[in-house]
Amino acid sequence: MEYATRIREKLTAGLAPDRLEVVDDSARHAGHAGADAAGETHFHVTVVSAAFAGKSRVERQRMVYALLADELRERVHALGLTTHAPGEAGA
């Protein structure tokens, strides 16, 4: 299973997001540290979830990292995150 699909499935199951966007940015990082010609090493994820309500930016990131621990250990080199609770600016 491709990593983008795994990321979507795990974040959906763990955070029940109102909005989830997973963008594979690997092609933009060709030749950089951690890049792999096969791709799926650099992602940007936007998540809007009620699970983030009342949580700090760092707490939200830790929640996502915990859900994606296997992917980060196996192949994903860089993970950019935008995390919001519903109703927040940018959500």
Side-chain angles (χ1 to χ4, degrees):
M1 178 184 315
E2 68 179 31
Y3 280 83
T5 299
R6 287 173 59 174
I7 290 169
R8 278 187 202 90
E9 288 179 357
K10 286 187 173 187
L11 294 180
T12 298
L15 299 172
D18 293 345
R19 185 171 127 217
L20 174 61
E21 296 174 16
V22 178
V23 178
D24 184 350
D25 282 335
S26 302
R28 293 181 29 198
H29 297 277
H32 295 178
D36 183 312
E40 293 203 302
T41 56
H42 293 68
F43 289 90
H44 186 86
V45 175
T46 300
V47 186
V48 176
S49 172
F52 294 146
K55 304 265 193 288
S56 72
R57 181 181 58 84
V58 172
E59 290 172 315
R60 294 171 185 194
Q61 290 175 348
R62 286 181 181 152
M63 291 169 70
V64 173
Y65 293 153
L67 289 167
L68 301 180
D70 292 338
E71 290 71 20
L72 291 164
R73 186 175 38 258
E74 293 169 9
R75 181 167 188 81
V76 176
H77 170 75
L79 182 65
L81 296 174
T82 301
T83 57
H84 296 290
E88 290 180 345

